[in-house]
Amino acid sequence: MTATDRTAYPRLDERMSRAELAANFTLSESEHAFVVAQARGNVNRLAFAILMKARQAYGLFVHPDALSETIVAHVAEQLVLPVPSLVVTSRLGLHRYRSAIRTHIGGALYDKAAQELVETTTTHAAATMSDPADLINRAIEALFNAHIDLPAFSTLDRTVNRVRAAVHRDIFAT
């Protein structure tokens, strides 16, 4: 398995500078209005805002409790909310929030079409490069450009290794 630290796959445990925090987790006026319109209650608004900004920054939905306290505090401050010890929202609420955010930002679920995009991208890239980390980075870039949610790292790793092996077999056969 390829190490995630050798790829562009988002790592949530990394510390962010103040500039990165401001760039990735500052709500615009329209985003602030969108949060207020979509979620009711302080904790739900905070969860919604964190989900939206994390999806924009990382390309995937991250449970609000998986992010650092610094990020949660930064978003809570913008919403003029106290920082809770836990940001808990129901599964149904999280599902509804994810759907609303995808619609708002023009994102899409990782589905069969996304899988085909990863396979096509990897097939073309594997003809000229061999390192799995480089191929995973190409797949991540293609998914980001298509505004598709990133799947689990293991999904990308398995797909890239399978396609890479097939391309290398074809090259060897020629």
Side-chain angles (χ1 to χ4, degrees):
M1 180 167 187
T2 308
T4 57
D5 62 337
R6 294 185 56 225
T7 68
Y9 197 84
R11 286 175 290 286
L12 308 176
D13 57 350
E14 285 188 350
R15 292 192 169 261
M16 283 190 179
S17 68
R18 288 196 181 271
E20 290 172 322
L21 186 64
N24 292 322
F25 288 93
T26 298
L27 295 165
S28 67
E29 287 182 31
S30 64
E31 289 171 336
H32 191 279
F34 181 62
V35 168
V36 170
Q38 291 294 319
R40 308 251 185 280
N42 290 346
V43 173
N44 288 334
R45 284 190 177 128
L46 181 58
F48 188 90
I50 291 169
L51 281 172
M52 181 173 61
K53 295 311 287 184
R55 172 58 178 83
Q56 291 171 338
Y58 299 128
L60 56 101
F61 287 103
V62 179
H63 194 279
D65 286 335
L67 296 173
S68 74
E69 291 175 16
T70 309
I71 292 171
V72 174
H74 178 75
V75 176
E77 180 182 314
Q78 296 171 70
L79 295 170
V80 193
L81 300 174
V83 180
S85 57
L86 287 174
V87 182
V88 180
T89 302
S90 70
R91 289 180 83 156
L92 181 60
L94 288 174
H95 177 73
R96 188 176 62 79
Y97 293 166
R98 289 180 188 125
S99 296
I101 291 166
R102 276 190 203 100
T103 302
H104 181 71
I105 66 173
L109 280 167
Y110 187 85
D111 57 7
K112 285 189 180 234
Q115 179 72 18
E116 290 173 15
L117 174 65
V118 168
E119 290 174 1
T120 303
T121 301
T122 305
T123 300
H124 292 312
T128 58
M129 57 179 62
S130 179
D131 185 25
D134 292 335
L135 297 172
I136 289 171
N137 289 341
R138 283 285 175 94
I140 290 170
E141 180 182 14
L143 292 170
F144 259 82
N145 291 339
H147 302 287
I148 297 171
D149 296 347
L150 290 179
F153 182 80
S154 59
T155 301
L156 285 176
D157 191 45
R158 279 192 311 273
T159 302
V160 163
N161 284 324
R162 180 178 45 76
V163 171
R164 176 178 166 259
V167 169
H168 287 193
R169 274 193 304 274
D170 290 347
I171 290 172
F172 180 73
T174 16

